[in-house]
Each structure stands twice: as C-alpha cells, then as structure tokens.
Amino acid sequence: MGILSLCCFLVFSIHKLVDAQITTESNEVIAIKKVIDYWGLSSRVNLSIDPCTRDASWATENANPRIVCDCSNNICHITHLKLYALDISGELPLELFQLTELMDLNLGQNVLSGSIPKEIGILFKMQYLSLGINNFSGVVPMELGNLTDLKSLSFSSNNFNGPLPIDLGKLTSLEQLYIDSSGVSGPFPQELSNLKSLHTLWASDNGFTGKLPEFLGTFTNLKTLRLEGTSLEGPIPSSYAALTKLEDLRIGDLGGEDSTLDFLVNFTSLSILSLRSSRVGGEIPSQIGTFANLQILDLSFNKLTGAIPDSLQDSQSLHFLYLGSNDLNGVIPLNIITPQLRALDVSFNSITGNLPANFTKIGRSMNAVGTLVNGDGLLEGKTSEISRCLVTDNQCTEKVPVNSFAVKCGGSSMVSTYGVAFDDDSETLGASSIYTGSNNRWVVSNTGSFISNPNGPQYTTQTASQITATLDSELYKTARISPNSLRYYGLGLRNAKYNVELHFSEIQMDDDSRSSWKGLGRRLFDVYIQGERVLQDFNIRNEAQGSNKALVRSFEANVTNTIIDVHLVWAGKGTCCIPVQSTFGPLISAIHVSQVSSRGGSSNDKKQVGRIVGITLGGVAGIFIACSVFYLWWKKKTPEHVRILTDSPKKSLTSV
C-alpha cells in the first residue's frame, strides 16, 4: 500500500513539474494580454497566469472567449482565438498579428471597425478565419492571398468596397468562402477559377457586375452556391451542368440574357433549388420531379412556358413549390397535392383545372390568384370573380364601388387619431396564402419560405416598444413580413385616381450598431404599385433614421379596372441573419388607400376640410348673430333716427 502511494505521489509530482516547465512564448504572452485589454475582456480572461495554462477556464471546448494552445515542444504557442459575438469594438490591434502560430481566428458577430491591416498576411498558418458580421470598411486586403493554408474564409456582412483582390485565387485549399453582404463590387476575378476545392460559396447581396462566372462550372465539389441580389447577368452558363454535387443552389435577380433549365437535369442531389427572378424560360424539365431529395423548388418570377410536369405528382420529398408569375399553361396536374407538400404557388399563370375541395382544411396553403384554377374556398364570392380581372382583358365593374380601404398589416383593427378605420389583418398566413378581408374590400397574398428558419417568423412580427415620430404608436407595433412576395389588392374600387399611403417602421432590427452586432442588419426590398416600381432597395431604418420610428410614403395611382395592386418584393438584397436567422424581406405596418378628389386632395382629406370649414363657418355665424342682437339693442337705446335700407347693397365687382 505504501509503494502504491509513493508511485501516485511521484506521478503527481512529475505532472506538476511538467506543467511548471510549459510556458507560452513570451512575445505571444505580451501580445495576447494587449489584445484582451484593448478589447475590454480582462474581466473574462484573467491573464495574470500563463494564457496556455492547462485546464484554464478559457481553454475548454465551449469557452467564449477561448484561447487554445499547442504545447507539444515544451514551449506553448497560441493556435486558436475565439472572441465570438461579444460586442467588442475598435479596430484590429497590430499586436494580434504577433500571434503568428494562429490557425483559427474567430472574431465574428462583433462591432469591429476600420480596415483590415495588411499585416494579416503574416499569419501563414491560418486555416479558419472568420471576420463576418462586423463594421469593417475599406478594401479587402490583397495580403489575404498569403494565407494559403486557409480552408474557411468569412468576411460576410461588412462595409467593404471595391473589387475582390485577385490574390484570393492563391487560396487553393479553400473549401468555404462566405462573402455575402460584404459590400464588394465589380466582376469576379478570373483568378478565382483556381479555387477548385470550394464546396461552399455564399456571395449574395453584393455589387458584382458582368456575366455569371463561367468558371464556377469547374468547381465540381460545390455543394452550396448562393448568388442572389447582385448585378450579375445571365444566361446561366451551360458549364454549370457539371455541378452535380450541388445540394443548395440559389441564383436570383439576374439581368441580361434568358436561360433555360436544361443544365439541371442531372442535379439529383439537390435539396434546395431557387432560381427566382433569373430570366429563365422554356419548359420545366420533367427530371426535376424525380429528384429524391428536393424539398424546396422556387422558379417564380420567370418566363417559363408549357405545362406543369406531371412528374411533380410523384415527388416524395417536395415540401414547397413556387411557380408563380410565369407563362405556364394547361391543366394543373390532378394529384399535384402530395402528402408531403405544404405550400403551392401557381399564381399569375394561364393554368386551369381543379384542386381538392378540402385542400385548405388539411394544413396546406396555396396561392392561385391570377389563374383560372378552381380552388374551393381559396377565394370566395365576389373576390373570386374579381381575381379573374387580373388575368383577363374584361373591364370589371362594381355595382356599389368603394373609394377607400385601410389595413393594419399583421394586427387588429383600430381607428387612428385622424379618424381612419384600419381593418383587422391578424389572420395567420402560410408559405403560400391568400386571405380576404372581412368586408371584401381587400385581399392579402403571401408567397415564400424562410428557408434557413422554417420554424421561425410566420409572416407577421410585433414589438412592445413605443414607436416614435407618430401619434399612432399602436399602428406600427405589428407588421406583415415576407421572405419573397407580399401583395395587397384593393377590390371593387371606383375607377379614379387614388392616394396610396404606405406606413412602415423597422421593428425587427435594432439600430445601435455602435454597441452591438445585432444593430448591423440591413433590410432592403422593392415596392410596386399597379406594376410600376415606386421604391427600389428601400431601407426603412435608413429612411426613418432609426428603428421603431414611424415612416409614411405616399404615392398616386390610377384604378381602371376596379383593382389596385400594392406589391412588396424581396430582390435578394440585405443581410440574411441579423439579429437572427431569416431576418430579411419586405415589412409593412399599414396601408391606407383613398380616392383623390377633383381638386387634388383625397376624399378623406376633403371630409376633414369640410368638417373644419363647417365648424369655422358655424362659429362665425354665431358671432355675427350675437353682434347683431347687441347692435340692435344698443341702437334701441340711442335717440337718433336711423335710415333703413329697403334694397340689398350691390356687390362690388371685386367680390364677384
């Protein structure tokens, strides 16, 4: 027993001796202390002891801040530094680049600013570098090209400018590149064609110009490709047919020449396919219906022709199918509603046919507005008839036309301080829904899925915060949101000119970008009225100069067929994931549409003016009568004789 105790003591002593001998390289100790102190993290990382101390609180796998070291040669080097989502501010201190053994640096989701120093190029051993969701500006440094061991590089959601440096083409080991919403612009450098190891590329919401890069077709390891909300032009290169390992493909908002879907026929690994607004024409290949893993298919806002393929009836995986705003025709497949399908959008196509009478009762949502599809219960009464005005040349009329409507988007009815009665719009919508207001004066239509957060926002949002810059705070505490297309139709309107008031307030995104990364989000969307774009890249928070502030935009529009169409559209721009996943797309608080009077004011304004004029005239008349009575009484007490006029005085020429 004594021998066993002695052995244990010796092992323990040796272990302590080894620990005592292992120390961090002195220059790195000085550097990490200055970095931690500069970013105000001394209370979280007590570096009065060696930063590479075994079992330190900041060395555990889930620690944040986290410092990890390599002590294999009895001298320790800092290899991992994680300061993630801690709201640290300031610039990148030069001491950071003295940690030359760093392999993994995660500074994501902070409010770091300034440019990225060229000294970053001396961190030759870096494999994972995350600078995403910060306030960095300036150009992306060419010195990043020196980090040839990089496997993952992220500088998404920043404020860089200028083109991507051609030196990024040296990163031939790169597997993941996240540059979405980073601010870069210009064409894709041809030198990036060397990145053959890439399997993930996020590049949406940037100012890229020119043609879609042909060389992306050589990245045969790609599993995820996102290129939405840029200024790139089609056609989609035929070389993309080689990207058969793709599981998530999102291209959208293209200009230039039209494309076809022929390049897709062998993409059997796809789970998500979104080619929304990509100038895609021709027919839908029947092979798409056989893709065993395809869950989301969005081909909306294109030029597709022909019939909906019968093969889509056989899909065992498809959950969301968006085919709206195309030139499709023929009869909708009889069994298009599979057990797995949750949402179907076929709106604004020349298709006909019938859907099961119990479609909406079995937990599915569908949008068939602007078609001749008979979907029992989707549109009822006069709304169903009027919806056909959207796809026919008939001049629709209304026996009892109205001249206004108002909607409190996403919330309960209320009367504003100006006497406008806003209708209830709190109905729960689905991923492809249409709902008629209780008074049949308006319809709301929503299409789109929050792909990255399907269990997240359900197309409405609300806040308990007080809304400033308005007397009607409650009007702005709820809003409709959409990941793609949100439409309000006014129905049965008198054909005339109308004033369209759109009420906004940014209630999802904070605006304190100086103290928290949660204030770095950017929401951008477009607004069309009667098919004409009236707002492009509209940013509520910027226009209102802050979050939770009311903003009203007014426009005039003509109604010629009893219907007004207010369409809010996400065009792929803005951040996707701040402060939470799937925070993007159109948002609107209320809509008020009223007929413009012949003198240029709305009917509502005319009524208000009438009330004011009536009250004023009534007051003047009262004063006049009182003065007359007093005058007669006073004259009665005066001994003078007064001459009485028997004729009314003649009006002067100037009073005519």
Side-chain angles (χ1 to χ4, degrees), residues 83 92 164 195 212 238 251 254 315 354 362 367 380 387 401 406-407 410 428 470 477 492 553 563 592 637 646 651:
L83 306 173
L92 295 180
L164 288 172
L195 307 184
L212 277 171
S238 58
I251 297 175
L254 296 179
S315 174
N354 298 295
I362 56 178
N367 195 335
E380 298 178 358
S387 74
V407 185
T428 299
T470 179
K477 289 187 176 183
R553 286 288 179 263
I563 296 174
H592 177 211
K637 309 253 316 167
T646 57
K651 296 179 180 179

Side-chain angles (χ1 to χ4, degrees), residues 212-285:
L212 277 171
E214 182 96 23
F215 64 75
L216 290 182
T218 65
F219 293 0
T220 54
N221 291 313
L222 268 182
K223 293 184 178 181
T224 300
L225 174 60
R226 298 188 187 182
L227 271 174
E228 299 177 296
T230 70
S231 296
L232 290 169
E233 297 184 345
I236 299 173
S238 58
S239 64
Y240 288 17
L243 305 179
T244 55
K245 293 182 181 179
L246 275 171
E247 298 172 2
D248 183 346
L249 173 60
R250 308 182 204 183
I251 297 175
D253 316 290
L254 296 179
E257 301 176 32
D258 294 349
S259 307
T260 69
L261 297 178
D262 294 343
F263 74 98
L264 288 171
V265 295
N266 293 317
F267 282 31
T268 55
S269 298
L270 278 175
S271 174
I272 298 170
L273 173 59
S274 176
L275 298 176
R276 174 191 47 78
S277 192
S278 291
R279 300 185 64 90
V280 175
E283 297 188 355
I284 302 174

Side-chain angles (χ1 to χ4, degrees), residues 393-408:
D393 295 327
N394 297 331
Q395 287 296 312
C396 298
T397 58
E398 180 62 34
K399 294 180 180 178
V400 186
V402 297
N403 59 8
S404 68
F405 71 93
V407 185
K408 186 177 186 296

